[in-house]
Structures are given as structure tokens and as C-alpha cells.
């Protein structure tokens, strides 16, 4: 499990963790998958919008590690 400060968004395939204090707002997640990551919506992470592999690929581009994931 990821350390405190991270919020979790999950489905049966993946658990996405986001730490707003670490986020540098580079926007790589949004550029990579704007269906999953959409700041105009609450919650802004919707893991039902793409397969786990696509979500993981977008998170791998996060330069600050504010976004992390665990595959189930």
C-alpha cells in the first residue's frame, strides 16, 4: 500500500494513488489519457474509463510521482 497523503481510486484491475502535495501539474497524465484524468470532473480520476494497462502507461509519465498505481 502507498504511504499516507495519497488518495485512492480503484477498480478490480488497478488502484491509482494521487498525492496532491507532490503534484507539479505537469499535465502528462491528462495528455496521455484525458478520459481517465479530467480536472473538470470530481473525482478527477475515473479508472472506469480505460483498461489498466492504459492507465498505468499514463501514470508512468508522471514526473513528480504524485500519481502511482498498483495492479491487482
Amino acid at each position: 500500500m502507498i504511504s499516507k497523503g495519497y488518495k485512492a481510486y480503484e477498480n478490480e484491475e488497478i488502484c491509482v494513488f494521487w498525492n496532491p502535495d507532490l503534484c507539479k501539474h505537469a499535465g502528462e497524465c491528462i495528455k496521455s489519457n484525458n478520459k481517465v484524468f479530467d480536472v473538470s470532473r470530481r473525482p478527477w480520476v475515473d479508472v472506469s474509463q480505460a483498461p489498466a494497462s492504459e492507465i498505468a502507461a499514463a501514470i508512468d509519465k508522471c514526473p513528480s510521482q504524485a500519481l502511482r498505481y498498483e495492479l491487482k
Side-chain angles (χ1 to χ4, degrees), residues 13-16 29 32-33 36-37 47 50-62 67-71:
E13 297 179 329
I14 191 169
C15 188
V16 173
C29 55
S32 295
N33 195 319
V36 173
F37 304 100
V47 294
S53 59
E54 289 181 21
I55 297 169
I59 292 172
D60 286 341
K61 296 178 181 179
C62 179
L67 282 168
R68 295 178 149 191
Y69 65 92
E70 290 179 358
L71 296 173

Side-chain angles (χ1 to χ4, degrees), residues 5-72:
Y6 282 84
K7 297 178 183 184
Y9 309 89
E10 63 184 302
N11 63 24
E12 53 282 333
E13 297 179 329
I14 191 169
C15 188
V16 173
F17 302 95
W18 177 60
N19 186 327
D21 294 331
L22 295 178
C23 188
K24 302 295 184 205
H25 305 288
E28 293 301 322
C29 55
I30 296 165
K31 291 175 201 169
S32 295
N33 195 319
N34 63 4
K35 291 181 181 176
V36 173
F37 304 100
D38 182 350
V39 296
S40 69
R41 154 186 87 211
R42 295 293 176 260
W44 79 283
V45 178
D46 184 352
V47 294
S48 71
Q49 296 300 311
S53 59
E54 289 181 21
I55 297 169
I59 292 172
D60 286 341
K61 296 178 181 179
C62 179
S64 66
Q65 293 192 338
L67 282 168
R68 295 178 149 191
Y69 65 92
E70 290 179 358
L71 296 173
K72 296 182 179 182

